[in-house]
C-alpha cells in the first residue's frame, strides 16, 4: 500500500508556481494647466491676438491668463470668454479716442478712466473673479515699487492700473495706494501665471529693447526708459517660462494704432513658428509628470511591502511561530 501511494504521488501533476505579479498600468494624467503670460508694449499688444488665434487653432487653449499693461487689456477680454476672432473684430473696430482721455490740468497726462470703462464694457461689468478664465493683471505700487497682482475686484480698474505708463497716464489710486504700469517690475508676467496655477507657461514678449537708436516723441522716450529699467528684470522672469514667443513688432511705435493688423499678423507668425517647441516642451513635461507618479507609486508599494513584512515578523515571533508560513507572509518575505 505504501509503494502504491508513493507511485501515485510521483505520477501526479506538479503544483504550478504562483503567477508573476502584473505591473500596474500607467495612470491617465490630465493635461498640464497652460498659462499665458502677455507682456506690455502699448500698440504692439495687438500681436497678442494673433498669438492666441494660432494657439487655439492648433489645439492649445490656455487655462489661465496673466497680463501686464497692453497684455492685461487683451488678457482681460480673452479671459472674459471672447474667442480670438471676436478679439480681432474689436481690435479692428477700436477707435483710439475711445480709450484716451487727456487732462490738460494734469500736465497733459491720460487719465485712463475711458480705458477702464472700455474694458468693463467689453467684459460686461464682471469683476476679475467672475471671468470665465482665471485672470491676473500686474501693476506696480508706486509708493514701494512692489509688484502687485490683481486677481479680484473691478476688472477695468485693474487693467487701467496695469496700463498706467509713468509720464503718460495718471497713477491709479486703489485702496489708498497709487499704481502705475506693471512693466516697471514685470514686463512679461510669467510668475503671475504660475500663481494662478499654471504648470506650463507660454510667455509673449513684445517689450521694447534698448537698441541704440534714439526714440521719437514723448511716448517713445518713456517706453525706452521703461524698457531699460525692466530689461534685465524681464530676462530673469522670462527664464522661468517654458516657451517664449517673440512677435517681430519692435519697430512698431507705442502709439501707432495704424499698425494693428500687421501686429496681429506678426503674432500669428511667431506663434506658428513656436508650435514645435511648445509641443516638445509639453511632451517632456507630461513624461516627467508620469515618471514622478510612477516613482511615487513604487515608493508607496515598497512601503506597503515593508509594513506587511514587519507585521508578519512581529506576529510570528510574538504569537505563533508557525503563522509565518502563511501565503501573505511568505509573499511579504
Amino acid at each position: 500500500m505504501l509503494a502504491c501511494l508513493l507511485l501515485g504521488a510521483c505520477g501526479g501533476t506538479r503544483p504550478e508556481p504562483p503567477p508573476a505579479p502584473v505591473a500596474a498600468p500607467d495612470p491617465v494624467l490630465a493635461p498640464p494647466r497652460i498659462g499665458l503670460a502677455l507682456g506690455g508694449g502699448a500698440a504692439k499688444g495687438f500681436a497678442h491676438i494673433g498669438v492666441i488665434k494660432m494657439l487655439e487653432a492648433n489645439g492649445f487653449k490656455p487655462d489661465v491668463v496673466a497680463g501686464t499693461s497692453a497684455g492685461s487689456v487683451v488678457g482681460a477680454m480673452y479671459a472674459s470668454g471672447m474667442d480670438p476672432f471676436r478679439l480681432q473684430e474689436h481690435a479692428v473696430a477700436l477707435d483710439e479716442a475711445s480709450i484716451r482721455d487727456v487732462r490738460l490740468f494734469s500736465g497733459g497726462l491720460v487719465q485712463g478712466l475711458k480705458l477702464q470703462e472700455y474694458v468693463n464694457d467689453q467684459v460686461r461689468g464682471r469683476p476679475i473673479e467672475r471671468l470665465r478664465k482665471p485672470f491676473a493683471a500686474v501693476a506696480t505700487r508706486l509708493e514701494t515699487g512692489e509688484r502687485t497682482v490683481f486677481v479680484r475686484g473691478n476688472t477695468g480698474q485693474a487693467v487701467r492700473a496695469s496700463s498706467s505708463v509713468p509720464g503718460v497716464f495718471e497713477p491709479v489710486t486703489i485702496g489708498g495706494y497709487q499704481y502705475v504700469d506693471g512693466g516697471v517690475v514685470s514686463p512679461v508676467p510669467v510668475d503671475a501665471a504660475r500663481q494662478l496655477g499654471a504648470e506650463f507657461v507660454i510667455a509673449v514678449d513684445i517689450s521694447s529693447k534698448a537698441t541704440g537708436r534714439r526714440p521719437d516723441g514723448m511716448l517713445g522716450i518713456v517706453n525706452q526708459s521703461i524698457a531699460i529699467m525692466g530689461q534685465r528684470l524681464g530676462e530673469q522672469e522670462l527664464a522661468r517660462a517654458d516657451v517664449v514667443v517673440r512677435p517681430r513688432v519692435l519697430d512698431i511705435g507705442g502709439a501707432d494704432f495704424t499698425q494693428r493688423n500687421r501686429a496681429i499678423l506678426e503674432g500669428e507668425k511667431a506663434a506658428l513658428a513656436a508650435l514645435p517647441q511648445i509641443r516638445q516642451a509639453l511632451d517632456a513635461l507630461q513624461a516627467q509628470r508620469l515618471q514622478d507618479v510612477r516613482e511615487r507609486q513604487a515608493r508607496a508599494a515598497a512601503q506597503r511591502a515593508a509594513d506587511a513584512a514587519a507585521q508578519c515578523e512581529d506576529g510570528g515571533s510574538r504569537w505563533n511561530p508557525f503563522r509565518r508560513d502563511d501565503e501573505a507572509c511568505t509573499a511579504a518575505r
Side-chain angles (χ1 to χ4, degrees), residues 183-187 229-238 240:
V184 175
V185 292
S186 181
M229 288 187 294
Q231 192 165 341
R232 184 63 57 86
L233 190 62
E235 289 172 359
Q236 294 173 1
E237 190 166 1
L238 280 171
R240 295 190 284 274

Side-chain angles (χ1 to χ4, degrees), residues 197-277:
E199 301 167 274
F200 185 90
V201 177
I202 301 172
V204 186
D205 181 18
I206 57 169
S207 57
S208 299
K209 305 293 188 293
T211 60
R213 294 194 301 268
R214 180 178 297 175
D216 296 326
M218 174 63 76
L219 186 57
I221 294 171
V222 171
N223 282 338
Q224 179 116 327
S225 300
I226 293 175
I228 293 170
M229 288 187 294
Q231 192 165 341
R232 184 63 57 86
L233 190 62
E235 289 172 359
Q236 294 173 1
E237 190 166 1
L238 280 171
R240 295 190 284 274
D242 294 281
V243 176
V244 180
V245 180
R246 289 187 170 92
R248 300 180 64 180
V249 293
L250 297 185
D251 60 331
I252 296 178
D256 191 357
F257 279 62
T258 64
Q259 298 274 6
R260 69 190 80 185
N261 287 326
R262 184 195 149 203
I264 293 172
L265 179 61
E266 290 295 340
E268 293 177 8
K269 290 161 62 177
L272 181 62
L275 286 177
Q277 184 185 0

Side-chain angles (χ1 to χ4, degrees), residues 76-99:
M77 294 168 66
Y78 180 54
S80 74
M82 282 191 192
D83 62 54
F85 294 97
R86 283 184 61 204
L87 283 174
Q88 184 166 350
E89 288 177 1
H90 284 271
V92 171
L94 178 63
D95 178 10
E96 189 178 352
S98 66
I99 60 171

Side-chain angles (χ1 to χ4, degrees), residues 2 16 44 62 64 82 88 115 141 196 234 272 281-282 303 308 319 331:
L2 181 60
E16 301 210 354
K44 295 188 286 290
V64 304
M82 282 191 192
Q88 184 166 350
L115 174 62
R141 183 179 291 183
L196 290 175
L272 181 62
L282 273 172
Q303 185 62 51
W319 305 109

Side-chain angles (χ1 to χ4, degrees), residues 79-80 123 125-133 151-153 155:
S80 74
V123 303
R126 285 175 290 177
I128 296 175
E129 63 270 23
R130 291 185 56 195
L131 300 179
R132 292 192 180 179
K133 294 178 186 287
V151 293
R152 60 177 61 86
T155 303

Side-chain angles (χ1 to χ4, degrees), residues 260-311:
R260 69 190 80 185
N261 287 326
R262 184 195 149 203
I264 293 172
L265 179 61
E266 290 295 340
E268 293 177 8
K269 290 161 62 177
L272 181 62
L275 286 177
Q277 184 185 0
I278 293 172
R279 291 192 180 97
Q280 184 178 5
L282 273 172
D283 289 343
L285 175 60
Q286 196 72 333
Q288 183 60 54
R289 294 172 75 213
L290 182 59
Q291 181 63 29
D292 292 343
V293 170
R294 287 172 178 163
E295 290 177 359
R296 286 197 298 270
Q297 289 178 336
R299 287 195 297 268
Q303 185 62 51
R304 287 195 298 271
D307 292 344
Q311 185 176 8

